[in-house]
């Protein structure tokens, strides 16, 4: 592990040398309105029904900053005193209710033929071949459910965590609600309010009552994690009876993907999911995992000058650059 982890460019190394803690700023906007009732059936068909109900949430950036210090881009896991752990596909499925099986969310950035792109993405052609596509039928959204939106969300969160481990990073974005929820379910000692009911998707426990209790500074959160994580970390929070009883069977249909090793993709963003490093989170015996995918070069790849390329066709080559 010593040879594997390089802390030179990681924020934790800077803090150890300088003694200064960093509090990241947020780049997240919450929605303050509800979607039109007429849209809800189509959003349900597309697989977004649960996420559209998320309205209010109280993000604690000092807590998130404390987590970033323990994130290692080499393994895509948090390194805590109790062991390695990570936000997983299980968390995406149970917390947000997003699909994790299906086609990769990727394609071309430059739209040359609108009709062809419409057909490839939605499975239907617009009646007017010369149309500017100023309007689409909501019923077409039911083809959208064939994409792995859970993979896309997790890929962007992983990339953001990797970027914010750099000492010069000052803000953080993407699906921070998922990150904070993962933290509160795995380490409930960080939240003082625990009496809210558990409903599926589990994000709504904190959406209905957004506060998590008293807020602390980054060094206090770091100290709390160090002092309580070994005995207070819950490896399988979703198997607790009070939580499991409210989870339907549908999110478990593709549970075999939770502990896999695979690329997770959102257009040009490709990250590697190391399910074999956090098997304890799935109730499995943790064996010594294989060396992680070398993602350093992948982080440098973008679509500059390649906007007409279909990223999905290039993914296999991209993952072998290391």
């Amino acid at each position: 592990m010593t040879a594997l982890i390089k802390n030179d460019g990681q924020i934790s190394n800077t803090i150890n040398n300088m003694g200064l803690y960093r509090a990241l700023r947020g780049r997240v906007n919450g929605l303050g309105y509800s979607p039109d009732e007429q849209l809800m059936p189509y959003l349900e068909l597309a697989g977004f029904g649960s996420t559209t109900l998320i309205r209010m949430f109280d993000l604690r950036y000092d807590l998130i900053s404390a987590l970033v210090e323990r994130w290692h881009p080499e393994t895509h896991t948090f390194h805590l005193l109790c062991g390695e752990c990570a936000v997983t596909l299980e968390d995406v499925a149970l917390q947000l209710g997003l699909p994790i099986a299906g086609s990769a969310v990727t394609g071309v950035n430059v739209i040359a033929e609108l009709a062809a792109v419409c057909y490839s993405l939605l499975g239907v052609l617009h009646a007017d071949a010369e149309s500017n596509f100023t309007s689409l039928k909501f019923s077409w959204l039911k083809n959208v459910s064939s994409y792995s939106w859970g993979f896309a969300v997790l890929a962007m969160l992983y990339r953001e965590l990797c970027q914010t481990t750099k000492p010069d990073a000052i803000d953080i974005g993407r699906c921070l609600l998922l990150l904070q929820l993962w933290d509160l379910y795995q380490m409930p000692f960080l939240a003082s309010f625990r009496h809210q009911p558990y409903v599926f998707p589990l994000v709504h426990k904190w959406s209905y009552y957004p506060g998590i209790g008293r807020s602390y500074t980054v060094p206090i959160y770091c100290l709390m994690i160090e002092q309580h994580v070994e005995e207070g970390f819950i490896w399988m929070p979703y198997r607790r009876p009070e939580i499991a009883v409210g989870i339907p069977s549908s999110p478990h249909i593709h549970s075999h993907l939770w502990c896999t090793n695979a690329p997770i993709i959102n257009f040009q963003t490709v990250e590697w999911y190391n399910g074999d490093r956090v098997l304890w989170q799935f109730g499995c015996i943790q064996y010594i995992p294989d060396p992680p995918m070398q993602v350093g070069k992948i982080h440098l790849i973008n679509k500059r000058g390649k906007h007409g390329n279909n990223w999905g066709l290039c993914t296999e080559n991209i993952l072998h650059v290391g």
Side-chain angles (χ1 to χ4, degrees):
M1 184 62 72
T2 303
L4 176 66
I5 305 303
K6 300 177 181 178
N7 287 325
D8 295 344
Q10 221 263 8
I11 182 60
S12 60
N13 184 62
T14 302
I15 293 173
N16 290 336
N17 291 336
M18 300 180 63
L20 299 176
Y21 285 90
R22 176 193 64 177
L24 295 164
R25 299 194 303 246
R27 301 195 317 270
V28 177
N29 294 319
L31 296 177
Y33 58 89
S34 299
D36 191 292
E37 288 296 328
Q38 298 181 34
L39 301 182
M40 288 305 298
Y42 303 107
L43 293 172
E44 290 283 354
L45 285 174
F48 302 136
S50 58
T51 56
T52 58
L53 300 177
I54 302 172
R55 285 294 159 265
M56 298 178 61
F57 46 88
D58 185 10
L59 290 175
R60 297 295 171 85
Y61 291 102
D62 290 271
L63 173 57
I64 291 171
S65 300
L67 289 175
V68 171
E69 293 179 18
R70 286 149 180 80
W71 178 260
H72 286 270
E74 300 91 341
T75 58
H76 284 160
T77 57
F78 297 104
H79 288 198
L80 305 178
L81 292 177
C82 59
E84 284 188 78
C85 50
V87 184
T88 69
L89 292 171
E90 179 185 24
D91 300 300
V92 175
L94 300 185
Q95 293 284 0
L96 302 180
L98 289 174
I100 61 171
S103 303
V105 180
T106 188
V108 297
N109 284 33
V110 174
I111 301 177
E113 298 182 10
L114 294 177
V117 173
C118 179
Y119 183 78
S120 66
L121 295 179
L122 299 176
V124 291
L125 286 174
H126 200 282
D128 183 4
E130 302 299 325
S131 173
N132 291 324
F133 287 84
T134 55
S135 62
L136 297 173
K137 295 180 180 180
F138 284 116
S139 59
W140 294 357
L141 288 174
K142 66 184 179 180
N143 301 288
V144 180
S145 59
S146 64
Y147 291 92
S148 178
W149 298 107
F151 271 52
V153 168
L154 196 58
M156 297 307 294
L157 179 59
Y158 276 15
R159 177 60 59 92
E160 192 75 6
L161 285 167
C162 291
Q163 294 296 325
T164 49
T165 58
K166 299 176 181 178
D168 58 348
I170 60 175
D171 55 18
I172 186 171
R174 306 304 176 185
C175 192
L176 299 182
L177 179 60
L178 175 61
L179 175 61
Q180 182 166 290
L181 288 172
W182 173 86
D183 187 36
L184 297 179
Y185 276 84
Q186 310 289 153
M187 293 179 275
F189 56 84
L190 295 173
S192 57
F193 288 105
R194 306 173 192 172
H195 60 274
Q196 302 96 318
Y198 294 97
V199 293
F200 180 81
L202 297 177
V203 62
H204 295 307
K205 173 182 172 67
W206 303 102
S207 183
Y208 294 154
Y209 189 90
I212 67 172
R214 182 178 176 182
S215 179
Y216 301 97
T217 61
V218 177
I220 295 299
Y221 276 125
C222 290
L223 183 61
M224 291 173 66
I225 293 174
E226 290 176 0
Q227 290 182 339
H228 302 291
V229 71
E230 288 191 273
E231 73 279 1
F233 190 91
I234 301 178
W235 289 100
M236 296 177 290
Y238 310 123
R239 298 193 183 185
R240 294 163 58 189
E242 65 271 25
I243 299 178
V245 69
I247 300 177
S249 59
S250 55
H252 293 87
I253 294 176
H254 300 290
S255 59
H256 61 282
L257 298 176
W258 295 349
C259 55
T260 189
N261 282 17
I264 48 178
I265 303 170
N266 182 22
F267 277 90
Q268 75 272 23
T269 300
V270 181
E271 293 291 340
W272 195 263
Y273 178 78
N274 293 309
D276 68 331
R277 305 192 70 88
V278 292
L279 292 177
W280 281 348
Q281 291 183 229
F282 311 117
C284 303
I285 298 175
Q286 181 64 62
Y287 58 83
I288 299 176
D290 295 330
M293 187 75 176
Q294 297 299 312
V295 297
K297 293 183 179 180
I298 295 178
H299 284 171
L300 300 177
I301 296 175
N302 56 54
K303 295 192 76 172
R304 185 175 299 168
K306 313 182 190 73
H307 299 292
N309 291 354
N310 187 331
W311 209 247
L313 301 177
C314 305
T315 301
E316 184 174 351
N317 292 331
I318 293 171
L319 295 176
H320 286 85
V321 295

mmCIF file of all heavy atoms in Angstrom, residues 261-292:
data_model
loop_
_atom_site.group_PDB
_atom_site.id
_atom_site.type_symbol
_atom_site.label_atom_id
_atom_site.label_comp_id
_atom_site.label_asym_id
_atom_site.label_seq_id
_atom_site.Cartn_x
_atom_site.Cartn_y
_atom_site.Cartn_z
ATOM 1 N N ASN A 261 -15.801 -4.743 -10.783
ATOM 2 C CA ASN A 261 -14.747 -3.802 -11.189
ATOM 3 C C ASN A 261 -15.027 -3.423 -12.634
ATOM 4 O O ASN A 261 -15.022 -4.304 -13.506
ATOM 5 C CB ASN A 261 -13.354 -4.444 -11.086
ATOM 6 C CG ASN A 261 -12.857 -4.497 -9.655
ATOM 7 O OD1 ASN A 261 -13.630 -4.356 -8.719
ATOM 8 N ND2 ASN A 261 -11.571 -4.704 -9.489
ATOM 9 N N ALA A 262 -15.283 -2.162 -12.883
ATOM 10 C CA ALA A 262 -15.693 -1.768 -14.232
ATOM 11 C C ALA A 262 -15.532 -0.265 -14.412
ATOM 12 O O ALA A 262 -15.488 0.488 -13.432
ATOM 13 C CB ALA A 262 -17.147 -2.159 -14.465
ATOM 14 N N PRO A 263 -15.433 0.188 -15.672
ATOM 15 C CA PRO A 263 -15.431 1.627 -15.918
ATOM 16 C C PRO A 263 -16.826 2.198 -15.724
ATOM 17 O O PRO A 263 -17.831 1.552 -16.048
ATOM 18 C CB PRO A 263 -14.991 1.732 -17.383
ATOM 19 C CG PRO A 263 -15.427 0.442 -17.996
ATOM 20 C CD PRO A 263 -15.276 -0.592 -16.913
ATOM 21 N N ILE A 264 -16.899 3.385 -15.168
ATOM 22 C CA ILE A 264 -18.158 4.119 -15.070
ATOM 23 C C ILE A 264 -17.981 5.387 -15.896
ATOM 24 O O ILE A 264 -16.971 6.073 -15.801
ATOM 25 C CB ILE A 264 -18.534 4.422 -13.607
ATOM 26 C CG1 ILE A 264 -17.353 5.010 -12.828
ATOM 27 C CG2 ILE A 264 -19.042 3.172 -12.918
ATOM 28 C CD1 ILE A 264 -17.695 5.374 -11.394
ATOM 29 N N ILE A 265 -18.981 5.684 -16.713
ATOM 30 C CA ILE A 265 -18.804 6.662 -17.788
ATOM 31 C C ILE A 265 -19.916 7.705 -17.777
ATOM 32 O O ILE A 265 -21.080 7.394 -17.542
ATOM 33 C CB ILE A 265 -18.794 5.949 -19.161
ATOM 34 C CG1 ILE A 265 -17.707 4.880 -19.194
ATOM 35 C CG2 ILE A 265 -18.591 6.945 -20.302
ATOM 36 C CD1 ILE A 265 -17.778 3.974 -20.404
ATOM 37 N N ASN A 266 -19.532 8.949 -18.036
ATOM 38 C CA ASN A 266 -20.480 10.020 -18.333
ATOM 39 C C ASN A 266 -19.862 10.867 -19.436
ATOM 40 O O ASN A 266 -19.003 11.695 -19.185
ATOM 41 C CB ASN A 266 -20.774 10.876 -17.107
ATOM 42 C CG ASN A 266 -21.806 11.955 -17.411
ATOM 43 O OD1 ASN A 266 -22.586 11.845 -18.357
ATOM 44 N ND2 ASN A 266 -21.802 13.014 -16.629
ATOM 45 N N PHE A 267 -20.274 10.608 -20.692
ATOM 46 C CA PHE A 267 -19.680 11.230 -21.863
ATOM 47 C C PHE A 267 -18.169 11.033 -21.855
ATOM 48 O O PHE A 267 -17.701 9.922 -21.850
ATOM 49 C CB PHE A 267 -20.112 12.694 -21.978
ATOM 50 C CG PHE A 267 -21.455 12.819 -22.638
ATOM 51 C CD1 PHE A 267 -22.623 12.810 -21.891
ATOM 52 C CD2 PHE A 267 -21.560 12.916 -24.013
ATOM 53 C CE1 PHE A 267 -23.862 12.896 -22.504
ATOM 54 C CE2 PHE A 267 -22.793 13.002 -24.633
ATOM 55 C CZ PHE A 267 -23.952 12.987 -23.880
ATOM 56 N N GLN A 268 -17.360 12.121 -21.780
ATOM 57 C CA GLN A 268 -15.914 11.931 -21.874
ATOM 58 C C GLN A 268 -15.276 11.569 -20.541
ATOM 59 O O GLN A 268 -14.084 11.262 -20.490
ATOM 60 C CB GLN A 268 -15.237 13.205 -22.417
ATOM 61 C CG GLN A 268 -15.137 14.356 -21.427
ATOM 62 C CD GLN A 268 -16.360 15.245 -21.434
ATOM 63 O OE1 GLN A 268 -17.439 14.819 -21.838
ATOM 64 N NE2 GLN A 268 -16.188 16.488 -21.021
ATOM 65 N N THR A 269 -16.040 11.595 -19.461
ATOM 66 C CA THR A 269 -15.497 11.265 -18.145
ATOM 67 C C THR A 269 -15.531 9.758 -17.931
ATOM 68 O O THR A 269 -16.602 9.147 -17.937
ATOM 69 C CB THR A 269 -16.293 11.965 -17.036
ATOM 70 O OG1 THR A 269 -16.227 13.386 -17.227
ATOM 71 C CG2 THR A 269 -15.739 11.611 -15.671
ATOM 72 N N VAL A 270 -14.346 9.175 -17.746
ATOM 73 C CA VAL A 270 -14.224 7.741 -17.499
ATOM 74 C C VAL A 270 -13.482 7.547 -16.182
ATOM 75 O O VAL A 270 -12.350 8.009 -16.026
ATOM 76 C CB VAL A 270 -13.472 7.025 -18.635
ATOM 77 C CG1 VAL A 270 -13.380 5.525 -18.350
ATOM 78 C CG2 VAL A 270 -14.151 7.283 -19.981
ATOM 79 N N GLU A 271 -14.130 6.916 -15.235
ATOM 80 C CA GLU A 271 -13.501 6.593 -13.962
ATOM 81 C C GLU A 271 -13.587 5.086 -13.748
ATOM 82 O O GLU A 271 -14.371 4.401 -14.404
ATOM 83 C CB GLU A 271 -14.185 7.338 -12.808
ATOM 84 C CG GLU A 271 -14.010 8.844 -12.843
ATOM 85 C CD GLU A 271 -12.588 9.281 -12.558
ATOM 86 O OE1 GLU A 271 -11.835 8.475 -11.959
ATOM 87 O OE2 GLU A 271 -12.228 10.421 -12.907
ATOM 88 N N TRP A 272 -12.778 4.576 -12.831
ATOM 89 C CA TRP A 272 -12.770 3.139 -12.593
ATOM 90 C C TRP A 272 -13.405 2.845 -11.244
ATOM 91 O O TRP A 272 -13.053 3.439 -10.230
ATOM 92 C CB TRP A 272 -11.358 2.581 -12.640
ATOM 93 C CG TRP A 272 -11.345 1.083 -12.756
ATOM 94 C CD1 TRP A 272 -11.199 0.178 -11.755
ATOM 95 C CD2 TRP A 272 -11.546 0.322 -13.951
ATOM 96 N NE1 TRP A 272 -11.281 -1.102 -12.248
ATOM 97 C CE2 TRP A 272 -11.488 -1.052 -13.594
ATOM 98 C CE3 TRP A 272 -11.756 0.651 -15.284
ATOM 99 C CZ2 TRP A 272 -11.637 -2.078 -14.510
ATOM 100 C CZ3 TRP A 272 -11.903 -0.374 -16.204
ATOM 101 C CH2 TRP A 272 -11.838 -1.716 -15.820
ATOM 102 N N TYR A 273 -14.344 1.920 -11.279
ATOM 103 C CA TYR A 273 -15.076 1.517 -10.076
ATOM 104 C C TYR A 273 -14.440 0.257 -9.509
ATOM 105 O O TYR A 273 -14.385 -0.785 -10.175
ATOM 106 C CB TYR A 273 -16.539 1.272 -10.446
ATOM 107 C CG TYR A 273 -17.414 0.795 -9.315
ATOM 108 C CD1 TYR A 273 -17.886 1.679 -8.351
ATOM 109 C CD2 TYR A 273 -17.806 -0.539 -9.226
ATOM 110 C CE1 TYR A 273 -18.711 1.241 -7.324
ATOM 111 C CE2 TYR A 273 -18.627 -0.987 -8.207
ATOM 112 C CZ TYR A 273 -19.075 -0.089 -7.259
ATOM 113 O OH TYR A 273 -19.885 -0.524 -6.251
ATOM 114 N N ASN A 274 -13.923 0.354 -8.278
ATOM 115 C CA ASN A 274 -13.216 -0.758 -7.635
ATOM 116 C C ASN A 274 -14.083 -1.397 -6.558
ATOM 117 O O ASN A 274 -13.852 -1.228 -5.355
ATOM 118 C CB ASN A 274 -11.898 -0.265 -7.025
ATOM 119 C CG ASN A 274 -10.909 0.179 -8.078
ATOM 120 O OD1 ASN A 274 -10.628 -0.549 -9.019
ATOM 121 N ND2 ASN A 274 -10.390 1.390 -7.930
ATOM 122 N N GLY A 275 -15.085 -2.152 -6.973
ATOM 123 C CA GLY A 275 -15.951 -2.802 -6.004
ATOM 124 C C GLY A 275 -15.245 -3.847 -5.168
ATOM 125 O O GLY A 275 -15.651 -4.123 -4.033
ATOM 126 N N ASP A 276 -14.166 -4.424 -5.703
ATOM 127 C CA ASP A 276 -13.460 -5.483 -4.973
ATOM 128 C C ASP A 276 -12.668 -4.953 -3.785
ATOM 129 O O ASP A 276 -12.222 -5.732 -2.949
ATOM 130 C CB ASP A 276 -12.521 -6.236 -5.926
ATOM 131 C CG ASP A 276 -11.369 -5.381 -6.405
ATOM 132 O OD1 ASP A 276 -11.530 -4.145 -6.493
ATOM 133 O OD2 ASP A 276 -10.291 -5.949 -6.697
ATOM 134 N N ARG A 277 -12.510 -3.642 -3.673
ATOM 135 C CA ARG A 277 -11.751 -3.079 -2.561
ATOM 136 C C ARG A 277 -12.628 -2.793 -1.345
ATOM 137 O O ARG A 277 -12.110 -2.516 -0.252
ATOM 138 C CB ARG A 277 -11.046 -1.788 -2.994
ATOM 139 C CG ARG A 277 -10.151 -1.950 -4.204
ATOM 140 C CD ARG A 277 -9.273 -0.722 -4.403
ATOM 141 N NE ARG A 277 -8.264 -0.645 -3.361
ATOM 142 C CZ ARG A 277 -7.070 -1.229 -3.421
ATOM 143 N NH1 ARG A 277 -6.745 -1.940 -4.484
ATOM 144 N NH2 ARG A 277 -6.207 -1.101 -2.442
ATOM 145 N N VAL A 278 -13.967 -2.839 -1.524
ATOM 146 C CA VAL A 278 -14.872 -2.487 -0.421
ATOM 147 C C VAL A 278 -15.927 -3.580 -0.237
ATOM 148 O O VAL A 278 -17.104 -3.298 -0.016
ATOM 149 C CB VAL A 278 -15.543 -1.117 -0.684
ATOM 150 C CG1 VAL A 278 -14.516 -0.007 -0.618
ATOM 151 C CG2 VAL A 278 -16.254 -1.110 -2.041
ATOM 152 N N LEU A 279 -15.506 -4.829 -0.302
ATOM 153 C CA LEU A 279 -16.444 -5.954 -0.229
ATOM 154 C C LEU A 279 -17.175 -6.025 1.113
ATOM 155 O O LEU A 279 -18.275 -6.559 1.198
ATOM 156 C CB LEU A 279 -15.705 -7.265 -0.502
ATOM 157 C CG LEU A 279 -15.177 -7.447 -1.928
ATOM 158 C CD1 LEU A 279 -14.401 -8.753 -2.044
ATOM 159 C CD2 LEU A 279 -16.321 -7.411 -2.933
ATOM 160 N N TRP A 280 -16.573 -5.497 2.158
ATOM 161 C CA TRP A 280 -17.235 -5.487 3.465
ATOM 162 C C TRP A 280 -18.551 -4.711 3.396
ATOM 163 O O TRP A 280 -19.489 -5.009 4.136
ATOM 164 C CB TRP A 280 -16.322 -4.859 4.521
ATOM 165 C CG TRP A 280 -15.262 -5.794 5.011
ATOM 166 C CD1 TRP A 280 -15.182 -7.142 4.805
ATOM 167 C CD2 TRP A 280 -14.133 -5.445 5.814
ATOM 168 N NE1 TRP A 280 -14.075 -7.664 5.413
ATOM 169 C CE2 TRP A 280 -13.398 -6.649 6.048
ATOM 170 C CE3 TRP A 280 -13.659 -4.267 6.352
ATOM 171 C CZ2 TRP A 280 -12.231 -6.676 6.797
ATOM 172 C CZ3 TRP A 280 -12.480 -4.294 7.104
ATOM 173 C CH2 TRP A 280 -11.779 -5.478 7.327
ATOM 174 N N GLN A 281 -18.619 -3.722 2.525
ATOM 175 C CA GLN A 281 -19.841 -2.930 2.412
ATOM 176 C C GLN A 281 -20.996 -3.731 1.816
ATOM 177 O O GLN A 281 -22.149 -3.309 1.910
ATOM 178 C CB GLN A 281 -19.583 -1.677 1.571
ATOM 179 C CG GLN A 281 -18.682 -0.660 2.255
ATOM 180 C CD GLN A 281 -18.492 0.601 1.441
ATOM 181 O OE1 GLN A 281 -17.379 1.063 1.251
ATOM 182 N NE2 GLN A 281 -19.568 1.183 0.959
ATOM 183 N N PHE A 282 -20.680 -4.861 1.186
ATOM 184 C CA PHE A 282 -21.720 -5.707 0.593
ATOM 185 C C PHE A 282 -21.919 -7.008 1.372
ATOM 186 O O PHE A 282 -22.577 -7.924 0.899
ATOM 187 C CB PHE A 282 -21.359 -6.029 -0.859
ATOM 188 C CG PHE A 282 -20.967 -4.823 -1.662
ATOM 189 C CD1 PHE A 282 -19.689 -4.702 -2.197
ATOM 190 C CD2 PHE A 282 -21.867 -3.789 -1.872
ATOM 191 C CE1 PHE A 282 -19.326 -3.593 -2.925
ATOM 192 C CE2 PHE A 282 -21.514 -2.668 -2.601
ATOM 193 C CZ PHE A 282 -20.243 -2.564 -3.124
ATOM 194 N N GLY A 283 -21.320 -7.096 2.552
ATOM 195 C CA GLY A 283 -21.470 -8.288 3.369
ATOM 196 C C GLY A 283 -20.602 -9.445 2.944
ATOM 197 O O GLY A 283 -20.861 -10.596 3.315
ATOM 198 N N CYS A 284 -19.555 -9.178 2.180
ATOM 199 C CA CYS A 284 -18.661 -10.231 1.693
ATOM 200 C C CYS A 284 -17.339 -10.203 2.456
ATOM 201 O O CYS A 284 -16.985 -9.206 3.091
ATOM 202 C CB CYS A 284 -18.391 -10.055 0.195
ATOM 203 S SG CYS A 284 -19.876 -10.046 -0.832
ATOM 204 N N ILE A 285 -16.610 -11.298 2.389
ATOM 205 C CA ILE A 285 -15.275 -11.360 2.982
ATOM 206 C C ILE A 285 -14.321 -10.540 2.120
ATOM 207 O O ILE A 285 -14.287 -10.687 0.902
ATOM 208 C CB ILE A 285 -14.790 -12.810 3.092
ATOM 209 C CG1 ILE A 285 -15.715 -13.605 4.023
ATOM 210 C CG2 ILE A 285 -13.351 -12.871 3.590
ATOM 211 C CD1 ILE A 285 -15.395 -15.076 4.093
ATOM 212 N N GLN A 286 -13.554 -9.673 2.754
ATOM 213 C CA GLN A 286 -12.625 -8.831 2.015
ATOM 214 C C GLN A 286 -11.298 -9.560 1.811
ATOM 215 O O GLN A 286 -10.565 -9.813 2.762
ATOM 216 C CB GLN A 286 -12.384 -7.512 2.762
ATOM 217 C CG GLN A 286 -11.447 -6.551 2.045
ATOM 218 C CD GLN A 286 -12.010 -6.089 0.720
ATOM 219 O OE1 GLN A 286 -13.051 -5.455 0.667
ATOM 220 N NE2 GLN A 286 -11.304 -6.398 -0.364
ATOM 221 N N TYR A 287 -11.012 -9.889 0.565
ATOM 222 C CA TYR A 287 -9.719 -10.480 0.236
ATOM 223 C C TYR A 287 -8.770 -9.384 -0.222
ATOM 224 O O TYR A 287 -9.161 -8.225 -0.385
ATOM 225 C CB TYR A 287 -9.876 -11.551 -0.845
ATOM 226 C CG TYR A 287 -10.509 -11.049 -2.127
ATOM 227 C CD1 TYR A 287 -9.757 -10.405 -3.100
ATOM 228 C CD2 TYR A 287 -11.870 -11.221 -2.366
ATOM 229 C CE1 TYR A 287 -10.322 -9.939 -4.272
ATOM 230 C CE2 TYR A 287 -12.458 -10.762 -3.533
ATOM 231 C CZ TYR A 287 -11.681 -10.126 -4.484
ATOM 232 O OH TYR A 287 -12.244 -9.655 -5.639
ATOM 233 N N ILE A 288 -7.511 -9.737 -0.417
ATOM 234 C CA ILE A 288 -6.540 -8.757 -0.903
ATOM 235 C C ILE A 288 -6.851 -8.453 -2.364
ATOM 236 O O ILE A 288 -6.785 -9.344 -3.219
ATOM 237 C CB ILE A 288 -5.107 -9.284 -0.766
ATOM 238 C CG1 ILE A 288 -4.791 -9.549 0.704
ATOM 239 C CG2 ILE A 288 -4.108 -8.295 -1.351
ATOM 240 C CD1 ILE A 288 -3.427 -10.167 0.935
ATOM 241 N N PRO A 289 -7.216 -7.221 -2.697
ATOM 242 C CA PRO A 289 -7.629 -6.913 -4.071
ATOM 243 C C PRO A 289 -6.447 -6.814 -5.012
ATOM 244 O O PRO A 289 -5.292 -6.676 -4.588
ATOM 245 C CB PRO A 289 -8.332 -5.564 -3.928
ATOM 246 C CG PRO A 289 -7.652 -4.922 -2.759
ATOM 247 C CD PRO A 289 -7.313 -6.049 -1.812
ATOM 248 N N ASP A 290 -6.751 -6.885 -6.291
ATOM 249 C CA ASP A 290 -5.728 -6.684 -7.302
ATOM 250 C C ASP A 290 -5.289 -5.229 -7.301
ATOM 251 O O ASP A 290 -6.010 -4.345 -6.817
ATOM 252 C CB ASP A 290 -6.281 -7.041 -8.691
ATOM 253 C CG ASP A 290 -6.611 -8.521 -8.813
ATOM 254 O OD1 ASP A 290 -5.943 -9.322 -8.134
ATOM 255 O OD2 ASP A 290 -7.540 -8.856 -9.572
ATOM 256 N N PRO A 291 -4.101 -4.932 -7.820
ATOM 257 C CA PRO A 291 -3.678 -3.527 -7.933
ATOM 258 C C PRO A 291 -4.720 -2.734 -8.709
ATOM 259 O O PRO A 291 -5.285 -3.236 -9.685
ATOM 260 C CB PRO A 291 -2.355 -3.619 -8.694
ATOM 261 C CG PRO A 291 -1.850 -4.991 -8.407
ATOM 262 C CD PRO A 291 -3.069 -5.862 -8.306
ATOM 263 N N PRO A 292 -5.014 -1.517 -8.282
ATOM 264 C CA PRO A 292 -6.069 -0.749 -8.943
ATOM 265 C C PRO A 292 -5.679 -0.328 -10.353
ATOM 266 O O PRO A 292 -4.509 -0.291 -10.710
ATOM 267 C CB PRO A 292 -6.230 0.475 -8.032
ATOM 268 C CG PRO A 292 -4.889 0.640 -7.406
ATOM 269 C CD PRO A 292 -4.373 -0.757 -7.202
#
